[in-house]
Amino acid sequence: MNINKHMSVEERLDKFKQYAIDKVISGLFFLTILAVPVSISRVGMTGWQTAYTVQIVCFFIFLVIFMRRNKLTVQLKVSMTIGLTFAVAIVGLLNYGILGNGMVWAIISLMLCMHFTDARTTSAAVAIFVVVYTLSMYRFIYGSSVFPIDANIYISSPSSWASAFFSSALFGVIIGNTIIGKQKLIINLLMQLEQQNHTIEVQKQKMEHNANYDLLTELPSLRLANERLDLAISLAKREGHQTALLFLDLDGFKVINDTYGHDAGDTFLKETASRILSVVRESDTACRIGGDEFIVILSKIKATEYVSTLCERLIETITSPVKFGDGDLIVGVSIGVAVYPDIAKDATSLRKKADEAMYKVKRSGKNNFIIAEE
């Protein structure tokens, strides 16, 4: 049973029904090859019974179904198989009562109904079976029906035991194939569902990463930077220490793009990100917020002098030449700094003050830093 992982659930169920009914038909056909001769061999004991005629007719119909099974629709094969097994069950009950194999065939037919049809069809089949069973019971108990042979002779006949064995074996084959097939289908569906869930989780993590990190530099993006800044201020407020926000803007970066192309610009931005990370502490957060703009969140500052020293190191590191091809890429960097709670009491004000300080550096000659003051 080949099930494509791209099939829908409905298509997979149809595929399984096709597989299962073909197995049932094959089992019925090969077992009737053995069972029909065994049943007919009892003619000498019982005389010709209606059940034998029905069994022979069913055998040839099963032969046709088996030979044409690849050309018939699933629905037609299901209907014909249920109809034939039900016919054998009814005739068996009416001819032999509870001593024949009618009960086994009735159970087979009802199991096929439950597996391949809906609840309404199954309920109708159960109702018919109850009526036939009741009628057969009434005829043998209160009517004129008699068992066609002495029960002791019947039960001591090898053909009777063989017929019962084949009918029971058929029931076991049908139930076994159905259960095993459904188990395989369920396991296959669960494995594919687990794989799909894993794929969805990976895609979700990738989307979250892309939303929170800059694709070029792998630094946190503006969205994550805002969250980190709010967290840093909340921590500083609770523990009573300082937090600083550095706003960095590269001087002359546009010239690199215009002169050497965007590949050079991308190379320089990635190198700049790496250099910023090499200067700040692991507890600090460096982010690229767009273009050639970066921010650095410094947590737990003990003194403003540390901020000044860090800015000087950032300027020295970032403005060092970057090798690209046969030449060097060189830019300056303007840094605006705002310290919480000295200059601002919330994240919005802190960002505004750092931005204003950065533009003061731009207007005063660039490639420097300014710490915002009241």
Side-chain angles (χ1 to χ4, degrees), residues 109-255:
S109 184
L110 292 177
M111 289 296 295
L112 292 174
C113 284
M114 286 187 284
H115 181 69
F116 290 106
T117 66
D118 53 26
R120 179 178 297 180
T121 303
T122 303
S123 299
V126 171
I128 295 172
F129 167 70
V130 171
V131 171
V132 172
Y133 182 87
T134 304
L135 177 61
S136 178
M137 178 180 66
Y138 178 83
R139 290 177 61 194
F140 275 95
I141 296 177
Y142 303 105
S144 58
S145 294
V146 294
F147 197 67
I149 187 175
D150 181 80
N152 289 323
I153 297 176
Y154 179 83
I155 201 170
S156 63
S157 168
S159 61
S160 299
W161 285 88
S163 178
F165 173 78
F166 289 135
S167 298
S168 302
L170 175 61
F171 178 71
V173 168
I174 291 174
I175 300 304
N177 273 313
T178 302
I179 292 174
I180 293 172
K182 276 199 169 180
Q183 285 179 336
K184 289 180 178 179
L185 178 64
I186 291 172
I187 291 172
N188 183 269
L189 289 173
L190 289 176
M191 290 178 63
Q192 292 187 22
L193 180 61
E194 182 179 358
Q195 184 178 6
Q196 290 172 357
N197 288 338
H198 175 70
T199 301
I200 291 172
E201 184 62 28
V202 170
Q203 291 176 343
K204 180 181 176 182
Q205 293 176 358
K206 185 176 180 180
M207 291 174 64
E208 290 178 353
H209 182 273
N210 291 342
N212 292 323
Y213 289 86
D214 176 56
L215 296 179
L216 178 64
T217 64
E218 287 297 316
L219 291 179
S221 63
L222 178 60
R223 173 184 172 184
L224 190 56
N226 290 332
E227 294 179 2
R228 297 277 180 88
L229 181 59
D230 290 336
L231 181 62
I233 290 177
S234 176
L235 186 63
K237 185 183 298 184
R238 184 168 64 250
E239 297 183 358
H241 57 68
Q242 293 177 310
T243 289
L245 176 64
L246 280 59
F247 201 120
L248 291 72
D249 186 272
L250 301 181
D251 303 324
F253 177 74
K254 185 176 182 299
V255 176

Side-chain angles (χ1 to χ4, degrees), residues 29 49 95 136 188 254 258 273 294:
F29 174 66
Q49 301 293 317
N95 267 189
S136 178
N188 183 269
K254 185 176 182 299
D258 294 342
F294 299 82

